[in-house]
Amino acid sequence: MNSNPKHIAMIMDGNGRWAKKRLLPRAVGHVKGAANVRSIVQGCTEHGVEFLTLFAFSTENWRRPEDEVSTLMDLFIQYLDKELVEMKEAGIRFRLIGERSAFMPSLQMRIEKAERETSQNTKLHLTVAANYGGQWDILRAMQLWLDANPNTPLPLMEPQALKNYLSTSDLPDPDLLIRTGGESRMSNFLLWQMAYTELYFTDTYWPEFDKVELERALEWFGKRVRRFGQTDEQVLAGN
Ligand code: FPP
C-alpha cells in the first residue's frame, strides 16, 4: 500500500457540462468550480499532501468565446482576493506557472502579491497552471538549457538537467494525476513531469468532485504498484 501522494496534479474538467445538465449558463459551472477549489485544497492539506498543482487555464483555452475567457479571468481575480488571507493563515504557498504576461495587469498584480506574501509558507505548495501548456514548458526549458550550455550538443543533455529549467523546477514530479469530467487525456498539462505519474480518471464533473471523491482517488492510488520501469519482483524485493 502506497502512502498518500506527496504531489497531486489535477485537471479540473466538467464545469460546463455540470451547468448544462442543470440548464444553467456555463459561467455558473465555472463559479461552482472555483468554489470547489477551496474545499479540495483543504482536503489535500487534511491528507498531508504537500504539493497540489491545478490546471486552471491552458494555452488553448484562449480559443473559447470571449465572455467565457473573461469570466474565468474574473474568477481568478476573485479567488485571489478572497483566498489570500486564508492561504496565509493556513500556511499555503501560492505560485503560478504559465506565461503570465498575457494576463491583464490587475490579475498579474494579484498573482505577484499572492506569491510574495505566501513565499515563506511550507504546509501546502499550491501551484496554479494558467496560460500553461506542457509543450510550451518543454520548449522554454530547452531554450534556457541551450542558453546556459552553449557549447554542449543537445543529445548530451541528461533528462534530469532539463528538469532544472522547467517551470516546476523546485517541485517534485506529481505522484498522482486526477482528471475529472470523464475524459482520459493529458490535454498538454505537465507532459515532461508526468512520465511516471499514476493517472486517475473519474466521470464526476469538477464542481461535484468533493472530499469523499478525493479520498476515493487516494485509496485507488494506495493500491497502485509503482514500478518506475522495474519488474514487480524487483519492486517487491525493494531494489
Ligand atoms: C474545465 O471545464 C475547466 C476549465 C477550463 C477552467 C477551470 C477553472 C476553474 C475551476 C475556476 C477557476 C480556477 C481557480 C484556480 C480560481 P470545462 O469548461 O472544459 O467543462 P466542459 O468540458 O464540461 O465544457
Side-chain angles (χ1 to χ4, degrees):
M1 186 92 178
N2 291 315
S3 49
N4 277 343
K6 201 169 159 165
H7 184 176
I8 305 184
M10 290 192 191
I11 300 180
M12 309 179 287
D13 197 12
N15 293 346
R17 280 165 290 157
W18 179 89
K20 194 172 172 196
K21 210 171 91 184
R22 288 163 180 77
L23 308 178
L24 294 166
R26 288 177 62 81
V28 179
H30 291 313
V31 172
K32 278 292 273 185
N36 197 40
V37 169
R38 172 175 224 223
S39 123
I40 292 304
V41 167
Q42 227 174 44
C44 284
T45 53
E46 285 160 13
H47 288 283
V49 173
E50 292 172 55
F51 300 87
L52 174 64
T53 302
L54 302 174
F55 204 7
F57 195 84
S58 72
T59 43
E60 291 75 29
N61 284 151
W62 295 108
R63 296 187 201 139
R64 292 194 173 198
E66 212 173 296
D67 61 334
E68 181 162 344
V69 170
S70 113
T71 298
L72 287 167
M73 296 300 146
D74 289 347
L75 277 172
F76 205 179
I77 290 182
Q78 284 166 28
Y79 183 86
L80 290 171
D81 284 347
K82 233 174 34 208
E83 298 298 323
L84 181 55
V85 173
E86 178 79 13
M87 289 196 284
K88 281 157 84 171
E89 279 168 11
I92 296 170
R93 177 168 183 183
F94 174 87
R95 261 179 291 202
L96 183 123
I97 54 170
E99 186 49 70
R100 63 181 70 188
S101 62
F103 296 136
M104 51 184 147
S106 57
L107 176 53
Q108 287 187 47
M109 198 191 75
R110 282 167 171 89
I111 291 166
E112 277 153 28
K113 180 169 188 262
E115 286 180 331
R116 199 174 50 244
E117 295 186 6
T118 63
S119 66
Q120 299 307 311
N121 290 348
T122 53
K123 189 168 166 64
L124 175 78
H125 295 251
L126 172 64
T127 304
V128 170
N131 197 18
Y132 176 86
Q135 293 170 343
W136 164 85
D137 203 2
I138 294 168
L139 289 176
R140 180 176 157 275
M142 283 202 172
Q143 189 58 58
L144 292 171
W145 185 88
L146 287 168
D147 292 347
N149 300 277
N151 301 316
T152 315
L154 196 55
L156 294 183
M157 178 176 66
E158 294 285 341
Q160 190 52 37
L162 192 80
K163 181 177 165 47
N164 299 330
Y165 295 96
L166 291 166
S167 57
T168 52
S169 59
D170 46 1
L171 310 179
D173 288 341
D175 303 294
L176 171 65
L177 168 77
I178 297 176
R179 180 175 185 142
T180 61
E183 309 290 355
S184 314
R185 50 178 178 255
M186 311 278 284
S187 296
N188 197 15
F189 194 19
L190 302 162
L191 298 179
W192 185 280
Q193 297 87 335
M194 295 214 276
Y196 283 100
T197 300
E198 299 293 328
L199 309 177
Y200 180 86
F201 299 105
T202 168
D203 288 338
T204 305
Y205 295 143
W206 173 253
E208 287 172 327
F209 186 84
D210 57 12
K211 287 185 184 178
V212 176
E213 293 270 350
L214 175 65
E215 274 159 28
R216 213 167 278 159
L218 293 176
E219 206 175 298
W220 175 88
F221 176 81
K223 294 188 196 132
R224 308 298 305 158
V225 178
R226 306 196 72 199
R227 286 196 286 269
F228 297 100
Q230 292 189 309
T231 64
D232 273 343
E233 291 70 22
Q234 285 175 301
V235 173
L236 284 171
N239 288 337

